[in-house]
Amino acid sequence: MARYVAGRIAGLVVLLFLVCLFTYLIFFKLSPDPALMICGKTCTPDRVAQIRTSLGLDQPFVTQFWDYVSGIVAGRDYGSGANLIHCPAPCLGYSFQSSQSVTQMIVDRLPVSATVAVGAAVLWLIVGIAAGLLSAVKEGSWWDRAAMGLALGGASIPNYVLALTLQYVLVVKLQILPFPSAVPFSDDPLLWFQSYLMPWLVLATGYACLYARLTRANVIDALAQNFMRTARSKGMSPVLTMRRHALRPALTPIVTIFGMDFAALMGGALITETVFGLNGIGKMAADSIAKNDQPVIMAVTLLAAFFVMAGNVVVDLLYTGLDPRVRVS
């Protein structure tokens, strides 16, 4: 197991390096000149040249890329003399438009995105798996037809439509919830819960509907297997049979999808955060795209790639606990 984990971590490092190289090539070689975007349209050529020097954009591509990668590990300096700006490790770049270290910008906003992602994930897992399991047990019943019909409809609603609808009904008309804001839990737990409830509901609705349909299909398939008939013939109780022999193999593909979905949300729920005005990673990415703040865009891209790759590794490790065949192999 230790050798397997070490191999996966080594592969993760190699993939992150390749993603870093690819994104750096796109944002700093194929996109507009960052110095011109920072300086503005009325900037003089001398000022543009000064900015390019301070950013290291006058260096060869290999030198620029090495400075960026080494800065992630050891930190980096921008400019010289009185204009020297030090970016401590891990340095993911420096936003001259916001006059901030990109790493610090991410650290400030990551708790908001993590709160949205974790809360929504708990909701969609509980509701989706429970609804799908009950539909599989009661296959063909009125509950099964109603639940799957609602799941199909819920999965078809775009996030921004649901977000605006909930905002209008619950905040404007009924006034039972405040407008979402990034309230720390330590300041006011009740207001924290009320502020994040709508983003959780918006994100959880679509995922819960998909997970319900997937759980139902997987459990129905597991119930038809020979090992289920063997377990029932031995006199095992229906609850134990379902939990030990049907649900565990049915959860394997769900764990795979959950790892990818949750990892993607940790990189920022762009639409939900933008609609509700939550200053998380997603909204920061949207604002940076509008301003063409390339260091921030690249850092968010790398962060999202890291979460997705790390999610893959965690999912592979969870397989060993869910499916004994994985441990044997």
Side-chain angles (χ1 to χ4, degrees):
M1 176 60 74
R3 183 178 179 182
Y4 173 75
V5 174
R8 291 307 307 270
I9 293 176
L12 174 65
V13 173
V14 172
L15 285 175
L16 281 176
F17 178 81
L18 293 176
V19 170
C20 184
L21 175 61
F22 183 70
T23 52
Y24 195 92
L25 181 64
I26 290 177
F27 288 120
F28 286 88
K29 283 299 180 182
L30 303 181
S31 57
D33 189 348
L36 290 176
M37 300 303 300
I38 294 171
C39 197
K41 297 180 179 179
T42 60
C43 194
T44 63
D46 292 340
R47 178 56 181 161
V48 173
Q50 182 182 0
I51 294 175
R52 288 182 60 83
T53 301
S54 64
L55 292 177
L57 299 177
D58 57 341
Q59 301 295 324
F61 172 76
V62 175
T63 303
Q64 293 184 48
F65 180 68
W66 173 250
D67 289 341
Y68 183 83
V69 174
S70 60
I72 297 177
V73 180
R76 183 179 178 185
D77 291 332
Y78 291 91
S80 60
N83 297 321
L84 178 66
I85 297 174
H86 178 66
C87 179
C91 179
L92 295 174
Y94 189 86
S95 172
F96 284 85
Q97 296 189 21
S98 302
S99 299
Q100 279 185 284
S101 165
V102 177
T103 303
Q104 188 59 48
M105 295 173 67
I106 291 176
V107 170
D108 293 340
R109 291 159 178 80
L110 187 58
V112 176
S113 295
T115 302
V116 173
V118 172
V122 171
L123 277 179
W124 89 57
L125 279 178
I126 293 175
V127 175
I129 293 178
L133 182 60
L134 189 57
S135 292
V137 173
K138 297 181 178 296
E139 183 183 4
S141 66
W142 66 267
W143 163 265
D144 181 28
R145 292 192 293 270
M148 291 302 102
L150 289 174
L152 181 60
S156 305
I157 302 175
N159 276 0
Y160 65 89
V161 173
L162 183 59
L164 293 174
T165 302
L166 288 179
Q167 188 171 286
Y168 176 75
V169 174
L170 299 179
V171 178
V172 178
K173 297 297 292 184
L174 300 180
Q175 298 182 357
I176 59 177
L177 287 177
F179 191 83
S181 59
V183 178
F185 178 81
S186 57
D187 291 352
D188 190 335
L190 179 59
L191 183 59
W192 171 85
F193 177 80
Q194 292 174 334
S195 296
Y196 282 103
L197 183 58
M198 278 195 295
W200 290 341
L201 291 174
V202 169
L203 285 175
T205 297
Y207 286 113
C209 293
L210 294 174
Y211 279 55
R213 295 173 63 85
L214 181 61
T215 302
R216 176 185 180 274
N218 290 336
V219 172
I220 289 176
D221 181 67
L223 290 174
Q225 300 299 317
N226 291 330
F227 60 81
M228 288 298 299
R229 289 193 289 269
T230 302
R232 286 192 292 263
S233 67
K234 291 181 178 180
M236 187 176 291
S237 66
V239 175
L240 187 60
T241 303
M242 179 65 67
R243 179 175 62 86
R244 181 176 296 178
H245 296 289
L247 190 56
R248 287 181 65 180
L251 285 178
T252 303
I254 295 175
V255 168
T256 303
I257 298 177
F258 174 74
M260 299 301 98
D261 291 338
F262 182 73
L265 282 183
M266 285 296 296
L270 191 150
I271 295 177
T272 302
E273 291 178 8
T274 301
V275 171
F276 289 117
L278 295 173
N279 201 14
I281 300 296
K283 188 174 185 300
M284 182 180 71
D287 295 340
S288 301
I289 292 172
K291 297 186 297 184
N292 197 28
D293 196 347
Q294 295 173 11
V296 179
I297 300 172
M298 181 173 174
V300 173
T301 304
L302 289 176
L303 182 69
F306 169 77
F307 281 129
V308 171
M309 294 176 189
N312 267 301
V313 176
V314 173
V315 165
D316 288 344
L317 296 178
L318 289 176
Y319 277 169
T320 61
L322 288 174
D323 194 340
R325 293 170 296 183
V326 177
R327 292 196 297 269
V328 173
S329 63

